[in-house]
Amino acid sequence: MTAVVITIDGPSGSGKGTIAGLLAAKLGWNLLDSGALYRLLAFAAGNHGIDLTNEEALKTLAAHLDVQFIGKRIILEGDEVTDDIRNEQVGAGASMVASLPAVREALLQRQRAFREAPGLVADGRDMGTVVFPEAPLKVYLTASAEERARRRYLQLKDKVEGVSLPSLLDEIRARDERDMQRAVAPLKPAPDAIQLDSTELSIEQVMERILSEVASRDLAG
Ligand SMILES: Nc1ncnc2c1ncn2[C@@H]1O[C@H](COP(=O)(O)OP(=O)(O)OP(=O)(O)O)[C@@H](O)[C@H]1O
Ligand SMILES: Nc1ccn([C@H]2C[C@H](O)[C@@H](COP(=O)(O)O)O2)c(=O)n1
């Protein structure tokens, strides 16, 4: 029997990663942070001097990406990069490489391989529309761009020097535009997704809503 998948898609800063991590821990399931793969590819491209528009070279790099996920640690080509891939610059690079069809194709099987018993919580942009279209519970998590920028600002202000709310808002809007307008696997809700706007909800309230959907579908086993 194949493992059950719950997908959580949505724009940057909507809380996907936080909620997916909490949900996977609560259910005792595996976790796929698909954005990390695109971030790793953009980061590795920088290390290898590959231009972020060079689709052929990026496709080859994606197919051979030497990456290990060890708990919360991410090792790329032997070096720990867990924190290095989390800044907005790498996020913007990830969004650029993610617009290339050959890159998406090269990463597809790698993402599907995360589907293992007892279950998988997968977060990203196209988890419910392309990677796991048969998932029995799909969540599309949003929040206003202003709220997402505010959350990101709170997350970064003590860690990154010179971080500014207006520039974070600009970056979030630019990334939304690129992720939603690209030709291949654009960010959009799957037709059967549950849409949740978390602008006015706490993390606990979002979790409560999703857990009630899990219970009503009897997915937790
Ligand atoms: N409902 C919420 N209320 C308040 N803060 C939240 C909520 N959800 C998430 N956050 C906070 O917002 C920040 C961004 O959340 P998170 O990294 O999970 O977003 P994301 O959608 O995974 O972003 P990205 O796609 O860029 O990785 C974190 O600091 C997180 O704690
Ligand atoms: N399934 C996915 C996941 C991510 N991306 C791209 C688009 C994002 O802007 C970028 C970084 O993702 P994040 O870590 O911020 O979730 O990667 C995608 O196209 N498809």
Side-chain angles (χ1 to χ4, degrees), residues 74-90:
I74 305 178
I75 313 295
L76 174 68
E77 297 170 343
D79 292 326
E80 172 150 12
V81 296
T82 314
D83 295 331
D84 302 324
I85 62 164
R86 292 295 162 194
N87 60 54
E88 250 332 290
Q89 197 192 340
V90 177

Side-chain angles (χ1 to χ4, degrees), residues 8-22 33 35-36 39 86-88 91 123-125 141-143 147-148 150-156 159 172 175 179 197-207:
I8 305 183
D9 290 304
S12 176
S14 57
K16 304 177 302 293
T18 305
I19 297 297
L22 289 171
D33 169 6
R39 286 173 182 266
R86 292 295 162 194
N87 60 54
E88 250 332 290
D123 100 71
R125 303 294 186 289
L141 190 59
T142 59
E147 172 62 13
R148 291 184 281 128
R150 191 190 70 81
R151 290 176 188 172
R152 192 66 87 208
Y153 177 74
L154 293 177
Q155 195 178 23
L156 297 179
K159 292 189 196 151
I172 275 188
R175 198 128 73 90
D179 293 346
D197 184 334
S198 76
T199 308
E200 309 261 327
L201 298 178
S202 67
I203 292 172
E204 293 71 26
Q205 287 171 317
V206 174
M207 277 296 286

